[in-house]
Amino acid sequence: MSERSLIDFTNLAETLWPTATAESWDQVGLVSGHVQAPLTKVLLAVDAVAATVEEASEWGADLLFTHHPLLLRGIHTLDEETSKGALLAQLIRNRCALYAAHTNADAPEGGVSDVLAQRLGLAHAVPIVPGADPAAGIGRRGFLPEPMPLRAFAELVSRVLPPTVTGVRVAGDPERMIGAVAVLGGAGDSLLDHPLVRDADVYVTSDLRHHPAQESLEQSAASHGPALIDVAHWASESLWLEGAAERMRAALPEVEFRVSTLRTDPWDFAVGA
Ligand SMILES: [Zn+2]
């Protein structure tokens, strides 16, 4: 078997999730590491946080590959009394590189929203906001093979996603029949007013805030609009990791790809529900 280097991963990642297709505000690609370093073990996770960095170190990973960029906004120190300084120092000491594929991994076929649509069994799914490649873009809108009540659909969502403290929160009549479904993995406030979302029977996304959610529901009561399903941000994006690992295993069979089983959703417990 031929030896693999980090550059084999970065080349592959560039074909699967071209960095040029990321949003202009995003920061994707190689964060730390040397492209000539040997590559035998890659850990995939949604977030680079203390728990996943520790997991990568314990396993002896050469690369931690995350969805969220650790360095999205400028930092000015690697002081190890800062959380990001400590994480990067630990990674570098353990010869573990760090790489992120974020909005460039949201949009394409097999991307975060596409996988969510597939796992919910949506047919004829198309991007809500198409990109330059019309098969890619932000979010997906498709149809259930058979319409079902909102309550049953919410239970399907809950079975598909890994469990989290906040679970699956639903706004709408539980008996309402659901056929057309809009999904957006990660924070989805921005598409609440999109015509393809307004026209759907339900919108599944994360991080819906009080005012945008309430205004959308009031508008739906006045005319047609979707029921809302709010799921944990981490959960909605975590489904993407296994498919990404499979595609990379196929291209780099000499390298071991492992998906972290750690839950990096920030919430630990809930009371009073
Ligand atoms: Zn996200």
Side-chain angles (χ1 to χ4, degrees), residues 46-47 67-69 102 106 112 185-187 206-207 233-234 236-237:
V46 172
D47 299 293
H67 180 52
H68 290 143
H102 189 214
D106 283 327
V112 172
S206 303
D207 297 344
H233 186 130
W234 166 80
S236 72
E237 297 181 334

Side-chain angles (χ1 to χ4, degrees), residues 8-24:
D8 296 307
F9 169 88
T10 56
N11 286 342
L12 173 63
E14 189 58 36
T15 64
L16 294 173
W17 309 290
T19 48
T21 62
E23 300 284 335
S24 57

Side-chain angles (χ1 to χ4, degrees), residues 43 51-64 91 94 96:
L43 183 70
T52 52
V53 167
E54 188 60 37
E55 184 184 16
S57 300
E58 278 180 13
W59 184 44
D62 309 300
L63 170 64
L64 175 59
L91 287 165
N94 289 306
C96 183

Side-chain angles (χ1 to χ4, degrees), residues 42-45 55 238 241-242 245 249 257-262:
V42 179
L43 183 70
L44 287 83
E55 184 184 16
S238 67
L241 298 173
E242 193 49 59
R249 280 182 200 117
F257 291 91
R258 177 188 284 187
V259 175
S260 173
T261 55
L262 296 176

Side-chain angles (χ1 to χ4, degrees), residues 5-138:
S5 305
L6 182 56
I7 197 167
D8 296 307
F9 169 88
T10 56
N11 286 342
L12 173 63
E14 189 58 36
T15 64
L16 294 173
W17 309 290
T19 48
T21 62
E23 300 284 335
S24 57
W25 50 263
D26 208 356
Q27 296 293 344
V28 298
L30 191 62
V31 179
S32 64
H34 196 294
V35 288
Q36 300 302 341
L39 187 77
T40 59
K41 290 177 170 181
V42 179
L43 183 70
L44 287 83
V46 172
D47 299 293
V49 291
T52 52
V53 167
E54 188 60 37
E55 184 184 16
S57 300
E58 278 180 13
W59 184 44
D62 309 300
L63 170 64
L64 175 59
F65 173 37
T66 66
H67 180 52
H68 290 143
L70 177 66
L71 305 182
L72 185 59
R73 296 180 186 88
I75 66 165
H76 308 284
T77 173
L78 291 185
D79 177 346
E80 291 184 48
E81 290 198 331
T82 67
S83 61
K84 293 187 183 188
L87 291 182
L88 278 166
Q90 185 176 354
L91 287 165
I92 291 165
R93 279 197 200 96
N94 289 306
R95 298 179 186 279
C96 183
L98 179 63
Y99 190 97
H102 189 214
T103 52
N104 49 327
D106 283 327
E109 287 183 279
V112 172
S113 289
D114 196 34
V115 168
L116 191 53
Q118 285 171 25
R119 294 289 294 275
L120 292 172
L122 303 187
H124 310 295
V126 295
I128 297 171
V129 182
D133 167 4
I138 301 171

